[in-house]
Each structure stands twice: as structure tokens, then as C-alpha cells.
Amino acid sequence: MGYFLNVVLPIPLERLFTYKISEQEANFIQAGMRVAVPFGKSKIYTALAYNVHQEAPEAYEAKEIYQILDETPLVNAFQLKHWEWIAQYYMCTLGEVMRSALPSAFLLESETLVLPNKARVVNDLDLKDDEFLVYEALQHQSALKVGEISGIVDKKNVLPLINRMVQKGIVLQKEELYEQYKPKMVRYVKLAEEFQQESKLEALLEELTRAPKQSQVVLSLFQIQTRTKKPIPIADLEKESGCSRAVIKSLIDKSVLEEYHIRTDRVQHEEGSKSVDDITLNDHQQEALQAIAKGFSEDRTVLLHGVTSSGKTEVYIKFIAECLEQGKQVLYLLPEIALTSQLISRLRSFFGTKVSVYHSKYSIHERVEVWNNVMGNAEKAQIVIGARSSLFLPFSNLGLVVVDEEHESSFKQFDPAPRYHTRDAAIVLASLHKAYCLLGSATPSVESMDNAKKGKYGYASIPYRYGEVLLPDISLVDIKEATRKKRMKGHFSETLINAITEALDEGEQVILFQNRRGYAPVVECTTCGHVAQCPNCDVSLTYHQHRDQLRCHYCGYHMALQQSCLACGSFTLDKKGFGTEQIQEELQQLFPEATTQRMDLDTTRGKYAYEKIITAFENQEMDILVGTQMVTKGLDFRNVSLVGIMNADSLLNFPDYRAHERSFQLLTQVAGRAGRTSKRGKVLIQTYNPYHQILQQVTTNNYEKMFAEQVYEREQFKYPPLVRIIKLTLKDRDFNKLNEASEWFATSLRNVLGQQILGPEYPPVSRIRREYLKNILIKIPRNQSLPQTKNSIKRIEKSFNAISKYKSVRLVYNVDHI
């Protein structure tokens, strides 16, 4: 009997694939190692070894693997178990989880190389122009990549050209695997062995008297050596001596200095300066600490409900320190990259080099280094702070998982699959490792609070701010009345302008929140009513002033702002609505003395953009910060006395069953940025409907009332936490085919599952990237088996896929749809 290997391929196919291996390979390969395997006609993929067995596949002839890429497993048993749970629960494939979890540098895909066919004599006259250009280039190079051919012939799609040349026998194709990760090697120097003796050194310095610069380099090397026993980088020696690299190179050439390389991580951290013992908790924090410890002793996930600025982070730090003492790893999850930059400096001041960071703004090389450090349980990766993706790191000794701001919708992954919720997946990860899991929030999600009230989670609360600082004074400003009385300047009410003036006069800072980026969401012709639309999506184009262009926020399509209406040609174009750009412009006119900055997706594209804006605001280099929801979450600014919410109604009037819960959370969180020191902060919420129940609850910070009302409403209309929801989205470019297919699917679901099916229905934006969308909502009662329901849905999907005319329709599952 031969040996076979089942592998997971990073593609959206349900099953594992089987390859043939030799006995030696079977003895060497372990689950979690990467192997390169041929798949399809000529592609080579990086697959993950799953298990070795001796059963040959029946449906196809097993191919041999291409090569083994790892000496030891890259993915451990805990991860594989966790990934299987994610794939099964969120109704996606293990391959999709693998693609999402592994840094792209680990997923080597082959690249097609085009080589000249030396066995064939080619007549130049028989070649077409583009073929001749490629043939000519191959006379001077041994091989060309597809991208290089694209550049030579100045065409994007060159595959038909390559196929034509292969068929004519002019060129050959070959697949080559490329390693993407390159370790960073730093150049160091030391004095050659023979000059270590004093007599030899004196003779050397004597000899170098006629080369003063070289002599200076040697002396500088000595000075650095006396200060530090560490290896000396060439860059440091260059700086210390004030000489160029050429001088150092000439000494290396003379064998006076020796050059060597040391592999170094790209991200380096300083030592911590504070001790955890310096943190003194107040009585409320102590009570919360004991309640959390009690919940942990009963092996329960614990929810920490602490008002904004109550000192939740200090409580986390105490548990982190305890966990590190036991030699275990800690995972600290945050919803936004913007939050990490402030928290990192706080944690590093206590734990120094033990803190690592992992999120999508890191380069692939940096992510590989963090992955390797976590896998090796290295000293520098004992605490990992990160956004969603850090959940997939190869922890082997996890002791604590902290999910901060657990209510955040940013924790839910929307595209691509797996569409997992980080909080729920983190709880499962903690249980696999038998680790503690702590959820923290000032405004917990209805589901988490429901679990705490039912006793499924432990519960701890900190009802007062740290240092007995009062919660901010929240007032509602009726802009309907202000507009009627003509007391608005642009989008600012008189009340808000006076409050900003007062704060600036006292040297304090202001945060303004507007949950829409760009300048204006609609550019309308006042003559014919035409609005510029995206050609690929069913949305209007948003005007961005800094680029003077109209942009689609769904597909990225953009065009220059038109001077006249595209429909009737008149010049009467009017910008309706307002975004962060327009607020910033109005502020500069109203308060020309004040420095104003913007924090939204447009201004935070760079790697350190968040950090620069947050640090500048912390250091009081700017007076007013205008931002989208990025400014609302967990940031700690000491000098902010006023927070203004430009328009609360855009949050409340949203077609979603969570709109009121979200509005309460967002408004409470943004209000919590004000008055975090001794002086009481002020919050002004501009609205057309000041009598709305949610806004009234925000002004009194009445979470309990909001929770009770939301649970009551959801009981009436059957929404989570009373039922589970699976949203099915069907996508296709053909409008009629999509309607037909979605009706077929919904009818089949009703036949099998009964009446708890809503839809098919068009979403508010019914076409994105030229594809029409239709949603079906499945409500599953708590007493109904979830795995059985999912199996029924999968069986219907199989029948659906068997219908040839629906082949092009794509199905997307979103379990626990948020």
C-alpha cells in the first residue's frame, strides 16, 4: 500500500484533496506543515498537511506533491481545531479560513515563467508584432515573468498572447515558486582578531596617521565598545565617527575591520519604565477585580461593564500581569487599529518588550515575524495586541483573552469569508486553550448582557469614573427649531458655536463627530434633479473636495467633478448633505485661529497615520479634531472638554434592527471622550428629534432602560438574542435570473424549515460592483438545533447548484448577521 496525504487548499472548495507521498515523506510530514502541490492544469499552490493515510482516492488519480516547505508545523493543533470550528459554524470552507488566517507571505503561489524554446528555429517574419517583441526580449533574457511581458507589449491581459506562442512552439511555460518573506539582516562590524592585542593596535594606529579619517573610524569603534558590550551596527559607527561608508568599506577591504550580519526583527521595542505594582485600584475597581476572579474560578467568560473612563484598562493590566507570572501568553483584541496606537504605549510602559502588535497596517514581513515569535513562545510576544486577524496567531500557551469594546460591529468580518465574529470566535479559542476570557465595554451588546443576566457569563461592573470624575453633561440641541429661527451657521447651531468658542478660550480641545466622510454625499442639479450615480453600484457618488472628484464608497469608482449637469447641461449643481471635509472647511471659516484636523478613512491611509494624528492631538498641537466613528472608541484624551455630534438622526434612522442599540452605543462612547480629568465635560448632540427615546436615554446614561426596551422589541419581532439569524445573500449580474433563483431558494427553505424565512428582499443598496443582490433572512429559534438547520440549508444549496441555469449565481452565508 502506498502513502497518501490529505491537504487543505486555500480555495473555497468544501473537501480535502489527496496527494501521493513516499514512505520517508509520510514519516516526516506532520499536520500543520506547508506543502507545495500541483493543482489544476499547471498551477502550484501552498497547501496545509492535514493527515497521512493509506487509502487511495477513488474519484481521481492522486498526483505527487511538489515539495515540503516546512521543517516543523507552521500551524498547531489548537489552530486547526479552532479553524474547523470557524468553518463549520460560519458555513464556509477550511480553505477560506486558512487563506484568511495565514499571512500572505506564507501562501506561496507559483508564478508562470516564459522560456525560449531552444529546440525550435523561429522565422522572424512569421511572427506578429507583439510576438516578435516577446521573442526579441527572450534573446537577451533566460526567462520572463507574465508581468514583464505585460510591460513589454503594453497590454494588461497577455495570457492569450502567451498561449498563442506556446501553441506555435516559440516559447515554453514553467511554474516557479517564490518565497515572499525576506528576513531583515543588519550589518555589524568588529575589529579583526589580529588587532585585538595592544601592540598590534598601536602599530595599526601608527600606520593610519596618514589616513586621519580611517584612524577616526577605529577610535570611534573603541569609544562605542567601551560604552556598550553589544554588537556595533555599521550605521552607528558611521554616525559616531562622522565618516562615510566608503571609509569603513576601505578598512573592511584592508581586513582591519570584519563585517558580519545578524537577523533582526523589523519592529523593535523599548524596555518598560513602570511597574504593575504602581497601579492603585479604587474600591469600585477592586470589587470588579474580585467579581471577575470569581467568574474565572467558575470557568465562565466574564463581562466587565464599566462606564467610559472608569479605569477598565488598569483592571485588564492586573490580570495580564498575573497571567505572565504563570508563564502564559495573552491576547488583547481591539476593534480598531486607531485604538492600538494609544494602548500600545500604555502597555509597553508596564510590560516593555513583551508586547507585540499584529494588524493589517503591518507589512507582510512584519506579520511573519510576529507569527514566528508567537509560535516560538518568544519573550517579545507574550502579549499580543491586535485587531480581528490576531485571533489566528499560533498560540500554544494562551492564558487570557481580553476583548475590549466587545459591542463593536467592527469585530464582525464582512468580506471575504470567513464572516466570523471576533468576540464569539475568541470565546471558543479561550475554551480550547482552557484560558480565561474577559469581555469589556461601557455599552455592552444586548447579546452579551443577556448572557450575563442568564448566568451564562460572569458579570462585573464599575459604575463610576476613575477619581470620582463626573460623567459629562449631555445636552440635546434642536436644530429643527434653530433652522426655523435662522440660528444656524452652516451646519452649526448657535449653541454649539458658543460652546466651541468657550472651550477654545480656555485652552481646551474639542472633538466633533460626523459619521460620513467626504465633502457632500450628493451632487444634485437644481434644474432637472439629476444626481451623479456610480455606474457599477446603485448609489450616488460622494464629492471629495481635497481631490475635487466624485467617488463611490462601495467600489472605488471615481470621476472629476463635472462643471455642468451630465443630463441637461445646466451649471446649477448643488451639493446636498455634509461629511467630515465640509465640517472641517466650515470650522476654518468660523474659527480661523484654531487648528483643525480630520480623522477618517481618507486621512489614515498610511501605516503610521493614526499614530501621527492621535499623538498630535494628545500633545495639543491641534484644537479641534473632526472624525468619523474612529474618534469614538476608547481613546483617552486628557484635555478634551467638549464633544459635538453634528447630526444624531443619521444614526437613528437606519434600516436595521440594531440601529437604536448602535446609536446608543456610539453616542455614549463618543460622549465618553469628554471631561476625562477633574473638570466635567460637556456633550452637545444636534438633532431634528430631541424627544427620541434613545437620545433621552443617552442624556441620562440609562443603559438598563435601553437594554430592557430593546429586549422587549426583539421579543415582539423575533430578533437576537431570542433567535439566531443566518442571512443568505444571492448575487448575479443578470437581474431576472437573480429574482428567479432567489425565489426558488426561499421557497425551498420554507418547504423544509417552515415559516421563519424572510425575503427574498433587495437590500438598501441593491447593486454593488455590477452585481445585483437579494437577501433571505432565516430566523432559527433557540430551541431548534443549529447544526441540523445548517445541514438542511446545505442540502438545499446542493440541489440549487445542480440547476445549470443558476450556475452563475453566487451564494454568501452570514451567520449571526450583524
Side-chain angles (χ1 to χ4, degrees):
M1 282 294 283
Y3 287 89
F4 297 92
L5 173 69
N6 281 351
V7 299
V8 182
L9 280 164
I11 50 177
L13 292 175
E14 290 282 350
R15 35 189 283 236
L16 300 170
F17 289 87
T18 309
Y19 287 84
K20 201 164 30 175
I21 51 173
S22 65
E23 192 175 342
Q24 289 92 326
E25 287 170 334
N27 294 331
F28 179 76
I29 292 173
Q30 298 170 46
M33 281 185 177
R34 289 175 310 153
V35 287
V37 295
F39 188 75
K41 280 189 180 174
S42 59
K43 268 280 179 203
I44 293 167
Y45 278 99
T46 303
L48 210 59
Y50 189 79
N51 64 326
V52 176
H53 58 92
Q54 291 191 303
E55 292 169 31
E58 291 170 14
Y60 55 92
E61 179 70 33
K63 295 178 182 175
E64 290 187 358
I65 63 169
Y66 184 74
Q67 71 184 84
I68 300 169
L69 297 170
D70 294 318
E71 296 285 320
T72 55
L74 185 79
V75 173
N76 62 37
F78 288 115
Q79 280 173 292
L80 277 173
K81 254 191 197 163
H82 192 222
W83 294 4
E84 280 169 355
W85 177 84
I86 289 174
Q88 177 266 322
Y89 187 82
Y90 291 103
M91 297 176 80
C92 61
T93 68
L94 198 53
E96 286 172 315
V97 182
M98 173 190 166
R99 181 169 275 289
S100 183
L102 287 177
S104 55
F106 287 138
L107 292 169
L108 316 179
E109 276 184 24
S110 61
E111 186 152 18
T112 306
L113 292 182
V114 175
L115 317 167
N117 185 358
K118 299 218 170 118
R120 173 90 192 267
V121 179
V122 179
N123 182 0
D124 299 359
L125 300 172
D126 296 344
L127 302 177
K128 291 184 181 176
D129 290 353
D130 51 2
E131 292 173 351
F132 179 73
L133 287 171
V134 177
Y135 176 71
E136 179 88 300
L138 282 169
Q139 301 309 305
H140 307 288
Q141 275 173 279
S142 55
L144 288 172
K145 292 179 185 174
V146 173
E148 290 168 341
I149 293 175
S150 190
I152 291 166
V153 297
D154 199 19
K155 264 191 205 165
K156 271 191 177 173
N157 184 13
V158 290
L159 292 177
L161 163 66
I162 295 170
N163 290 338
R164 206 164 63 224
M165 293 181 78
V166 169
Q167 281 162 9
K168 287 182 179 178
I170 305 163
V171 295
L172 305 169
Q173 268 178 301
K174 182 187 169 192
E175 293 291 314
E176 194 66 65
L177 270 183
Y178 286 97
E179 184 69 66
Q180 286 174 289
Y181 170 65
K182 290 185 176 66
K184 182 182 177 184
M185 307 301 280
V186 176
R187 292 167 69 203
Y188 290 86
V189 279
K190 60 181 181 183
L191 200 62
E193 202 66 46
E194 60 178 293
F195 298 111
Q196 298 287 357
Q197 298 164 8
E198 247 177 77
S199 55
K200 291 272 177 78
L201 185 63
E202 275 175 30
L204 171 68
L205 289 169
E206 192 76 29
E207 195 184 311
L208 292 177
T209 45
R210 277 172 295 173
K213 283 191 175 176
Q214 291 183 5
S215 173
Q216 179 60 42
V217 169
V218 176
L219 288 168
S220 298
L221 186 70
F222 265 98
Q223 283 166 349
I224 300 172
Q225 266 178 346
T226 51
R227 285 201 306 266
T228 174
K229 293 282 174 266
K230 291 178 183 172
I232 301 160
I234 284 189
D236 287 9
L237 181 59
E238 190 182 352
K239 197 172 162 187
E240 179 86 17
S241 64
C243 299
S244 67
R245 291 233 166 166
V247 179
I248 300 171
K249 189 177 181 304
S250 61
L251 284 168
I252 292 168
D253 294 342
K254 284 184 180 177
S255 301
V256 173
L257 299 181
E258 280 179 15
E259 179 187 28
Y260 61 105
H261 292 80
I262 296 179
R263 182 174 167 167
T264 315
D265 275 2
R266 285 169 169 81
V267 182
Q268 298 290 335
H269 312 308
E270 300 298 312
E271 282 291 343
S273 55
K274 297 183 194 170
S275 163
V276 177
D277 301 332
D278 299 343
I279 296 176
T280 48
L281 300 182
N282 62 25
D283 295 346
H284 306 298
Q285 288 172 312
Q286 281 291 355
E287 281 170 31
L289 196 79
Q290 284 155 14
I292 295 166
K294 183 174 180 284
F296 285 166
S297 66
E298 293 163 2
D299 285 337
R300 286 193 293 177
T301 296
V302 179
L303 174 65
L304 172 59
H305 179 193
V307 296
T308 53
S309 191
S310 58
K312 295 187 287 293
T313 310
E314 281 75 13
V315 175
Y316 300 153
I317 287 171
K318 288 283 186 190
F319 280 106
I320 290 170
E322 205 177 291
C323 190
L324 292 183
E325 276 170 27
Q326 295 165 11
K328 297 199 167 213
Q329 296 167 308
V330 177
L331 172 60
Y332 195 132
L333 289 161
L334 289 159
E336 285 269 356
I337 299 167
L339 273 177
T340 56
S341 59
Q342 248 198 353
L343 189 75
I344 291 159
S345 52
R346 284 181 77 179
L347 286 187
R348 282 204 184 127
S349 63
F350 290 105
F351 303 110
T353 52
K354 291 180 178 173
V355 181
S356 277
V357 186
Y358 189 84
H359 55 64
S360 57
K361 281 270 194 286
Y362 265 35
S363 71
I364 53 170
H365 297 308
E366 288 164 347
R367 276 189 267 173
V368 167
E369 282 161 7
V370 175
W371 182 286
N372 290 336
N373 290 335
V374 172
M375 189 163 65
N377 205 353
E379 175 74 10
K380 59 173 75 171
Q382 291 303 296
I383 304 169
V384 176
I385 304 178
R388 290 191 301 252
S389 52
S390 50
L391 188 75
F392 294 116
L393 286 166
F395 296 102
S396 51
N397 190 20
L398 196 59
L400 174 68
V401 179
V402 176
V403 184
D404 202 7
E405 310 294 344
E406 64 82 29
H407 64 277
E408 266 303 328
S409 55
S410 324
F411 272 136
K412 175 79 172 164
Q413 160 84 0
F414 284 101
D415 267 318
R419 293 170 181 82
Y420 62 96
H421 196 299
T422 313
R423 176 195 61 216
D424 301 343
I427 292 169
V428 173
L429 180 70
S431 73
L432 285 174
H433 283 268
K434 296 190 170 46
Y436 299 138
C437 185
L438 180 55
L439 314 177
S441 174
T443 50
S445 61
V446 169
E447 285 86 344
S448 295
M449 185 52 89
D450 186 61
N451 280 329
K453 286 195 182 295
K454 286 177 179 164
K456 188 178 171 186
Y457 292 172
Y459 179 75
S461 75
I462 311 177
Y464 300 101
R465 282 186 149 190
Y466 190 79
E468 302 303 324
V469 173
L470 288 171
L471 281 163
D473 170 28
I474 304 174
S475 313
L476 300 172
V477 181
D478 186 348
I479 45 178
K480 186 179 179 182
E481 190 68 13
T483 310
R484 194 172 62 79
K485 291 180 177 171
K486 298 195 166 41
R487 285 188 179 164
M488 295 286 289
K489 280 191 184 174
H491 297 95
F492 290 82
S493 59
E494 253 180 24
T495 320
L496 184 55
I497 291 172
N498 294 339
I500 295 174
T501 310
E502 197 182 309
L504 295 177
D505 288 347
E506 292 186 17
E508 289 159 350
Q509 291 170 297
V510 179
I511 288 178
L512 293 177
F513 166 68
Q514 166 59 10
N515 211 15
R516 188 183 277 281
R517 65 190 173 100
Y519 186 87
V522 172
V523 177
E524 182 187 55
C525 169
T526 52
T527 306
C528 70
H530 175 263
V531 173
Q533 294 275 336
C534 172
N536 309 320
C537 314
D538 275 350
V539 285
S540 60
L541 295 171
T542 302
Y543 174 52
H544 284 248
Q545 194 181 42
H546 74 294
R547 290 182 176 166
D548 198 34
Q549 58 181 211
L550 297 167
R551 296 188 75 85
C552 171
H553 288 179
Y554 283 85
C555 68
Y557 170 84
H558 55 88
M559 62 189 268
L561 176 69
Q562 303 302 303
Q563 296 307 308
S564 59
C565 172
L566 294 169
C568 71
S570 71
F571 295 92
T572 54
L573 294 178
D574 185 23
K575 299 174 184 73
K576 297 277 172 78
F578 62 104
T580 46
E581 272 188 21
Q582 195 167 338
I583 298 297
Q584 190 183 9
E585 188 188 83
E586 285 183 14
L587 281 167
Q588 281 157 357
Q589 289 165 2
L590 291 166
F591 305 99
E593 313 291 298
T595 38
T596 309
Q597 266 273 27
R598 208 170 79 240
M599 184 159 151
D600 55 27
L601 198 64
D602 299 320
T603 59
T604 53
R605 296 212 182 266
K607 182 175 173 182
Y608 299 110
Y610 290 108
E611 220 167 305
K612 282 177 189 163
I613 296 172
I614 288 169
T615 310
F617 195 62
E618 265 182 334
N619 298 340
Q620 297 176 30
E621 291 166 26
M622 60 178 103
D623 305 308
I624 306 173
L625 180 64
V626 183
T628 53
Q629 91 294 339
M630 291 176 186
V631 299
T632 65
K633 299 161 191 170
L635 295 166
D636 185 19
F637 299 121
R638 292 283 163 199
N639 196 38
V640 173
S641 66
L642 174 69
V643 167
I645 289 138
M646 297 308 297
N647 185 354
D649 305 305
S650 59
L651 300 169
L652 291 164
N653 306 325
F654 202 74
D656 181 10
Y657 73 94
R658 287 179 192 273
H660 287 182
E661 179 196 350
R662 287 241 178 94
S663 304
F664 180 89
Q665 288 165 342
L666 203 56
L667 295 172
T668 306
Q669 289 283 347
V670 75
R673 301 312 112 222
R676 294 174 78 93
T677 47
S678 53
K679 188 183 170 190
R680 190 177 188 191
K682 195 171 183 183
V683 179
L684 292 177
I685 301 175
Q686 296 194 150
T687 170
Y688 286 98
N689 183 5
Y691 303 105
H692 195 289
Q693 58 180 36
I694 287 290
L695 298 179
Q696 295 293 332
Q697 287 157 11
V698 169
T699 54
T700 54
N701 197 33
N702 195 341
Y703 176 84
E704 286 301 322
K705 196 171 178 203
M706 184 279 295
F707 174 76
E709 277 183 12
Q710 287 304 305
V711 169
Y712 173 74
E713 272 184 27
R714 294 184 193 184
E715 275 173 353
Q716 303 304 306
F717 299 104
K718 303 275 184 292
Y719 276 103
L722 297 128
V723 296
R724 293 174 187 274
I725 281 189
I726 297 176
K727 183 172 87 167
L728 253 86
T729 304
L730 292 95
K731 303 181 179 185
D732 197 82
R733 291 196 171 197
D734 185 327
F735 180 77
N736 295 325
K737 190 196 289 181
L738 178 71
N739 281 334
E740 209 181 301
S742 56
E743 275 303 335
W744 185 97
F745 212 103
T747 310
S748 306
L749 285 168
R750 280 194 188 94
N751 292 340
V752 175
L753 301 174
Q755 287 310 305
Q756 67 257 35
I757 311 296
L758 299 183
E761 200 56 62
Y762 291 108
V765 179
S766 58
R767 187 174 65 112
I768 296 175
R769 295 191 178 92
R770 297 192 179 170
E771 285 190 317
Y772 292 97
L773 313 176
K774 249 188 162 178
N775 293 337
I776 300 171
L777 218 57
I778 304 166
K779 292 182 175 179
I780 305 163
R782 286 279 169 184
N783 56 7
Q784 189 175 315
S785 162
L786 192 64
Q788 279 178 9
T789 309
K790 286 177 183 168
N791 287 340
S792 305
I793 298 167
K794 283 284 185 190
R795 278 201 295 277
I796 295 168
E797 187 195 349
K798 261 190 185 148
S799 313
F800 178 78
N801 290 338
I803 303 170
S804 58
K805 67 172 172 177
Y806 299 153
K807 265 223 159 37
S808 63
V809 180
R810 267 182 60 223
L811 251 184
V812 171
Y813 292 107
N814 191 342
V815 179
D816 294 344
H817 155 60
I818 282 188

